[in-house]
Amino acid sequence: AQSVSQHNHHVILSEAASLELGCNYSYGGTVNLFWYVQYPGQHLQLLLKYFSGDPLVKGIKGFEAEFIKSKFSFNLRKPSVQWSDTAEYFCAVKNSGGYQKVTFGTGTKLQVIP
Amino acid sequence: NAGVTQTPKFQVLKTGQSMTLQCAQDMNHNSMYWYRQDPGMGLRLIYYSASEGTTDKGEVPNGYNVSRLNKREFSLRLESAAPSQTSVYFCASSEPSAGGTGELFFGEGSRLTVL
């Protein structure tokens, strides 16, 4: 069974600080990887995704993530966070064949202090 | 373009009551999902439907039933609500990875409280 681990549950940063959120997954086959963001009071929306090719993926709002297959990791990064990045971030894995089942991590709450 | 529409947005039930959460998508997606979101537990998959006519259990199916009424609609039913089912429920849809982005599109969520 596939699973996702997010190591940081709550992160507090000052504006302009750099961000890295960890994500590790467990699945034996080929996967597609995603980061979703949930702003306060809103539903989840896609931040970025990895399907194949370049393991460094760039998403919206200056976010990027690197897929390291040997480490089963897909960490999210941003060089300089803004107050508007305050949100909850979810890593997700999807098996690329079969039933298209998507599994989410437990989420990381990011609080950016002005 | 409505995307994924869920109803109701808020509901309060008493223990033992039943209710159905409705979900419809207008993106012609094959796959649909029901998740519940609880503090500190992220999103947990209740049921999913890879295509019209099929449904499968996710991580936490107990106490729930689903119906994939047609390609657009995927409903979630609580037959006898329990306080442990107090949660925010999200419906989502997607296309398969092959030939599609695989991205999940979420509804606005339904906040359910069971007293």
Side-chain angles (χ1 to χ4, degrees):
Chain A
Q2 60 200 49
S3 64
V4 180
S5 296
Q6 291 183 244
H7 317 296
N8 315 102
H9 298 295
H10 195 181
V11 173
I12 302 174
L13 294 174
S14 298
E15 274 192 317
S18 65
L19 170 72
E20 180 160 2
L21 301 181
C23 173
N24 287 89
Y25 69 93
S26 170
Y27 183 69
T30 303
V31 294
N32 305 132
L33 296 160
F34 306 82
W35 276 97
Y36 286 85
V37 61
Q38 185 178 30
Y39 297 104
Q42 297 187 24
H43 60 89
L44 279 79
Q45 53 189 290
L46 183 70
L47 203 53
L48 49 79
K49 61 181 183 285
Y50 171 80
F51 271 58
S52 62
D54 189 344
L56 185 61
V57 178
K58 294 192 184 298
I60 60 172
K61 302 186 180 185
F63 285 92
E64 65 179 30
E66 185 175 12
F67 171 50
I68 303 179
K69 190 174 181 180
S70 61
K71 294 185 178 179
F72 296 89
S73 70
F74 190 55
N75 292 352
L76 181 71
R77 301 194 292 247
K78 186 172 183 178
S80 176
V81 295
Q82 301 173 318
W83 177 78
S84 58
D85 294 325
T86 294
E88 192 160 14
Y89 294 82
F90 294 91
C91 182
V93 61
K94 182 175 186 177
N95 55 321
S96 61
Y99 286 116
Q100 310 296 322
K101 180 178 169 182
V102 182
T103 301
F104 283 81
T106 53
T108 298
K109 286 189 177 178
L110 172 65
Q111 184 179 356
V112 181
I113 301 170
Chain B
N1 189 358
V4 179
T5 304
Q6 289 180 234
T7 55
K9 288 188 168 44
F10 299 94
Q11 184 73 50
V12 179
L13 292 176
K14 294 180 179 178
T15 297
Q17 288 185 317
S18 62
M19 76 158 299
T20 300
L21 298 176
Q22 307 286 355
C23 175
Q25 51 93 8
D26 61 4
M27 295 172 283
N28 203 34
H29 286 165
N30 282 308
S31 301
M32 297 187 74
Y33 309 78
W34 276 107
Y35 288 89
R36 59 178 290 175
Q37 184 179 25
D38 302 290
M41 305 194 76
L43 276 81
R44 292 181 292 169
L45 183 63
I46 305 171
Y47 271 94
Y48 64 104
S49 171
S51 61
E52 185 179 357
T54 68
T55 60
D56 286 282
K57 295 178 180 179
E59 304 166 64
V60 289
N62 291 345
Y64 305 95
N65 286 303
V66 290
S67 296
R68 184 73 184 268
L69 304 169
N70 47 53
K71 192 171 185 179
R72 289 187 64 248
E73 299 173 286
F74 188 40
S75 62
L76 178 72
R77 183 161 178 82
L78 286 70
E79 292 290 350
S80 179
S84 61
Q85 294 178 304
T86 293
S87 186
V88 180
Y89 292 85
F90 286 99
C91 178
S93 70
S94 77
E95 276 298 343
S97 305
T101 67
E103 173 186 352
L104 285 174
F105 292 83
F106 285 87
E108 298 283 324
S110 299
R111 186 175 293 274
L112 175 65
T113 302
V114 183
L115 303 175

